[in-house]
């Protein structure tokens, strides 16, 4: 256990986030793991303390937000290995009528020309998830196809739908069969079961959602929620130890999930111009917002305050799970917290 990691989280909780779990592993062995705070701290947007405030634990479950994109990417890589899709084939192969310039590669590198997001829940407030998904897939291209980089949840939603058509199953089933199942990630997936609710961290106060209090046990992201809780860009919940399994699989070349050449392509700089970091397939390379001093690391962050960082050179996997949007978004300090945990990880790796 790292006393410094204790101090880092003590400084951040509850100022930056009401709950946090940090995990640092070298060569797959956990050198430090710490849980701090309360899974449900507030009962409303006025920061009224909740009556029941269960403590965060190492096995607590968090809404992973955009870390979900790594699961979608891994599924697409697995389908490509099976010959069910090609990264450079037009998505019109699976989604007839789409612009022939759009390919899975462009969706995964945010160079397909789609807007960053689309609030389909507000556009179609009374529609069912299938109708909303159909409308999402009709989102017009508004930027140059092929670049520059324009971060887009719309593109990853389309990538998830391509995976469903090519793989012949819903995305949550594909993730379970091709990622979480083969890696033994028993507590990770979309739409967590009701029995897991006591272990799940609350997110934002959303009075438009049914039920009292802050969101807990269903996806925070409005678009994913409007699509039924399963989408290519957001919706996966998981634990720090489960994410360690994913990070280690990618660090070591895929393990039982993907072939080494697929992981190598995933982690290759795809040349997406205009991004504040290099971009692989669905993964960020050297993103200063999450890697801190680990300049050679790759990974992804999530809007809820999560991050997964893998540094092959230092044999590190670093996980930080928080609910920084509880009870409201807009807290300061999550970037500094990520950098501090990454710096402690580097210190431990050098001392190992």
């Amino acid at each position: 256990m790292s006393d410094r990691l204790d101090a880092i989280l003590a400084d951040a909780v509850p100022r930056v986030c009401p709950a946090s779990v940090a995990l640092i592993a070298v060569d797959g062995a956990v050198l430090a793991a710490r849980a701090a705070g309360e899974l449900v701290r507030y009962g409303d947007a006025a920061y009224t303390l909740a009556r029941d405030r269960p403590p965060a634990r190492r096995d607590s479950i968090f809404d992973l937000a955009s870390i979900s994109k790594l699961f979608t990417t891994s599924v697409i890589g697995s389908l490509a290995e099976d010959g069910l899709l090609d990264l450079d084939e037009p998505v019109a192969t699976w989604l007839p009528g789409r612009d022939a310039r759009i390919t899975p590669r462009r969706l995964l590198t945010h160079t397909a020309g789609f807007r960053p997001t689309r609030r389909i829940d507000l556009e179609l407030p009374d529609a069912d998830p299938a109708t909303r998904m159909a409308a999402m897939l009709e989102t017009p291209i508004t930027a140059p196809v092929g670049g520059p980089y324009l971060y887009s949840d719309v593109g990853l939603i389309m990538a998830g739908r391509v995976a469903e058509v090519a793989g012949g199953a819903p995305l949550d089933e594909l993730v379970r069969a091709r990622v979480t199942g083969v890696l033994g990630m028993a507590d990770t997936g979309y739409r967590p079961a009701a029995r897991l609710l006591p272990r799940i961290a609350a997110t934002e106060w959303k009075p438009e959602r049914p039920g009292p209090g802050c969101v807990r046990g269903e996806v925070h992201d409005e678009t994913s929620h409007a699509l039924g809780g399963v989408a290519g860009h957001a919706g996966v919940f998981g634990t720090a130890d489960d994410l360690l399994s994913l990070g280690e699989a990618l660090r070591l070349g895929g393990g039982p999930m993907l072939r080494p050449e697929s992981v190598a392509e995933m982690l290759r700089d795809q040349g997406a111009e205009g991004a504040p970091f290099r971009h692989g397939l669905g993964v960020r390379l050297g993103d200063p917002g999450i890697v801190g001093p680990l300049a050679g690391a790759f990974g992804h962050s999530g809007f809820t305050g999560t991050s997964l960082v893998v540094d092959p050179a230092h044999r590190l996997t670093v996980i930080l799970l928080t609910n920084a949007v509880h009870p409201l978004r807009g807290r300061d300090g999550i970037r500094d917290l990520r950098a501090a945990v990454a710096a402690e990880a580097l210190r431990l790796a050098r001392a190992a």
Side-chain angles (χ1 to χ4, degrees):
M1 183 62 67
S2 163
D3 291 339
R4 294 191 189 185
L5 189 59
D6 287 341
I8 289 167
L9 294 193
D11 178 64
V13 176
R15 176 179 56 86
V16 176
C17 52
S20 179
V21 176
L23 187 152
I24 298 168
V26 174
D27 286 327
V30 176
L31 296 189
R34 180 73 168 93
E38 300 156 326
L39 296 179
V40 183
R41 180 171 174 81
Y42 304 107
D44 55 35
Y47 290 81
T48 304
L49 290 177
R51 179 175 299 178
D52 182 21
R53 303 201 298 272
R57 308 185 315 182
R58 178 168 164 174
D59 68 346
S60 293
I61 297 170
F62 288 77
D63 181 337
L64 301 180
S66 282
I67 293 178
S68 304
K69 294 176 171 68
L70 298 182
F71 292 82
T72 303
T73 302
S74 297
V75 166
I76 287 179
S78 175
L79 293 171
E81 288 181 357
D82 289 347
L84 296 173
L85 61 75
D86 187 284
L87 290 172
D88 297 306
E89 192 173 355
V91 299
T93 302
W94 310 280
L95 305 176
R98 302 291 82 75
D99 190 306
R101 298 172 295 170
I102 303 172
T103 63
R105 187 183 304 276
R106 285 176 169 165
L107 295 175
L108 296 178
T109 56
H110 300 281
T111 58
F114 289 116
R115 68 182 78 169
T117 190
R118 184 177 177 186
R119 287 295 302 276
I120 203 68
D121 57 318
L122 301 180
E123 291 181 38
L124 300 174
D126 300 319
D128 60 22
T131 301
R132 288 168 170 165
M133 176 61 80
M136 289 294 299
L137 298 179
E138 295 291 342
T139 300
I141 293 171
T142 55
V145 176
Y149 168 90
L150 178 61
Y151 184 83
S152 174
D153 285 342
V154 177
L156 266 292
I157 290 168
M158 183 174 287
R161 183 59 187 146
V162 167
E164 291 184 326
V165 177
L171 183 59
D172 55 341
E173 293 182 14
L174 293 172
V175 166
R176 185 165 54 249
R178 294 176 177 268
V179 183
T180 61
V182 297
L183 295 180
M185 301 170 69
D187 288 329
T188 297
Y190 291 95
R191 296 186 294 208
R195 61 180 173 78
L196 297 175
L197 186 63
R199 293 169 54 195
I200 298 176
T203 54
E204 195 169 11
W205 169 259
K206 289 183 177 292
E208 72 275 13
R209 299 267 188 103
C214 295
V215 172
R216 189 182 185 199
E218 62 180 33
V219 63
H220 169 269
D221 181 87
E222 297 89 352
T223 303
S224 179
H225 183 261
L227 297 173
V230 178
H233 72 299
V236 177
F237 287 71
T239 65
D241 281 279
D242 273 4
L243 273 187
L244 174 61
S245 296
L246 176 62
E248 284 297 294
L250 295 175
R251 184 180 72 85
L252 297 174
M257 179 179 68
L258 291 169
R259 298 172 188 160
E261 56 267 30
S262 296
V263 175
E265 183 62 16
M266 184 177 175
L267 301 181
R268 181 178 68 83
D269 183 356
Q270 299 288 318
E273 297 181 358
F277 39 74
R278 293 167 293 116
H279 212 288
L281 293 175
V283 64
R284 298 176 174 186
L285 313 175
D287 177 3
I290 60 172
V291 303
L294 304 174
F298 64 86
H300 215 291
S301 59
F303 185 78
T304 51
T306 57
S307 56
L308 168 62
V309 173
V310 180
D311 186 336
H314 292 97
R315 314 180 317 283
L316 272 167
T317 296
V318 185
I319 294 115
L320 177 65
L321 303 182
T322 84
N323 59 342
V325 296
H326 177 58
L328 296 174
R329 66 187 70 187
R331 288 171 175 264
D332 292 327
I334 189 63
R335 179 173 177 144
D336 290 340
L337 175 57
R338 287 166 173 158
V341 172
E344 174 61 4
L346 179 59
R347 187 189 72 84
L348 291 174
R350 286 172 170 168

